[in-house]
Amino acid sequence: MEIDYATLTPHERYKLLVAAVTPRPIALVSTADLEGRYNVAPFSFFNAISDDPPAVAIGVNSSRPGHVKDTARNIRSSGEFVVNLVDDSIAAGMNQCGVDYPPDVDEFDLAGFTPLPGVKVAAPRVAQAPIALECRRLVNVELGIGRNVVIGEVVYMHVRDELFDPEKLYIHAERAGLIGRMHGAGWYARTTDLFNMPRATGS
Ligand SMILES: Cc1cc2nc3c(=O)[nH]c(=O)nc-3n(C[C@H](O)[C@H](O)[C@H](O)COP(=O)(O)O)c2cc1C
């Protein structure tokens, strides 16, 4: 099948794109506004994109014309955010946080998450997350109307003790049990079906 994107509506483009690029890691992004109110929301237009500076990117898209998501507003005003990685145990809470609540709703409460203060940023992190990345905004790229990619530098990392080997400076990623977002309404993937392929050397 050949599909010319020019023939599609925005919704159709979205639907096919997110079904083609799978699985996508999920950033459960926690932020604080200038009054110190907390916000948490999931984003699967997300990945690590650079090691020096260590950087992640998050695609924040308006759900309706003129609407700015709390996450985008808080990052715009504070320049800081935390990416909490998502495992099975916080998947349902993460899903709760994906509802478009007004700014005064604290999704930490709704999802049963415990906020912990950031070490290097004013944004809180989710205590229940296996891994959390404290980030400072490097740049915001406006791709289209209400379509922003926030690129943040990772300035501090929290890893659950049992996932980390300090002697080897090694994260046991296979034990973290992170989930990814798949296609359509509500499909997710687990990182339990792994295989190892040593890196080709070319010789
Ligand atoms: C698994 C999942 C992934 C999502 N990924 C994105 C995304 O990449 N970009 C986006 O703009 N919204 C995404 N959403 C929707 C936002 O989480 C939702 O609009 C949320 O209400 C935004 O909250 P906020 O206004 O508190 O920032 C996703 C929702 C879920 C459940």
Side-chain angles (χ1 to χ4, degrees):
M1 186 60 71
E2 314 285 321
I3 304 164
D4 179 353
Y5 253 54
T7 65
L8 302 177
T9 65
H11 177 70
E12 289 167 342
R13 290 176 201 152
Y14 166 81
K15 188 178 144 179
L16 296 187
L17 183 63
V18 297
V21 184
T22 57
R24 296 183 307 288
I26 301 169
L28 183 59
V29 177
S30 43
T31 52
D33 70 12
L34 293 180
E35 281 84 54
R37 290 179 301 185
Y38 292 164
N39 192 83
V40 200
F43 294 86
S44 64
F45 283 150
F46 161 64
N47 223 311
I49 57 160
S50 162
D51 63 330
D52 190 14
V56 294
I58 299 162
V60 186
N61 299 332
S62 282
S63 25
R64 51 189 186 277
H67 178 246
V68 178
K69 290 191 178 176
D70 298 336
T71 301
R73 185 180 314 102
N74 291 350
I75 296 175
R76 192 182 292 169
S77 59
S78 70
E80 298 178 339
F81 60 99
V82 176
V83 169
N84 304 275
L85 282 310
V86 178
D87 66 9
D88 249 329
S89 75
I90 59 169
M94 172 281 294
N95 198 25
Q96 276 292 312
C97 297
V99 177
D100 203 358
Y101 296 111
D104 57 332
V105 171
D106 181 348
E107 291 97 350
F108 274 96
D109 261 0
L110 277 177
F113 292 153
T114 312
L116 291 175
V119 175
K120 292 204 170 180
V121 300
R125 69 182 171 102
V126 175
Q128 288 84 355
I131 299 173
L133 314 175
E134 296 189 14
C135 301
R136 282 204 195 102
R137 183 194 51 216
L138 286 170
V139 66
N140 181 78
V141 184
E142 192 176 0
L143 298 177
I145 296 167
R147 301 290 181 272
N148 287 278
V149 176
V150 178
I151 298 177
E153 178 172 359
V154 179
V155 295
Y156 202 89
M157 186 187 268
H158 303 263
V159 184
R160 195 182 285 154
D161 285 350
E162 64 259 32
L163 301 177
F164 193 65
D165 180 340
E167 274 168 31
K168 293 186 186 156
L169 196 75
Y170 185 81
I171 295 176
H172 291 279
E174 80 287 359
R175 291 186 204 155
L178 299 187
I179 60 165
R181 195 172 187 203
M182 294 293 294
H183 57 292
W187 286 103
Y188 291 85
R190 294 195 173 89
T191 46
T192 41
D193 186 9
L194 305 181
F195 66 100
N196 183 267
M197 179 165 58
R199 180 82 177 254
T201 59
S203 57

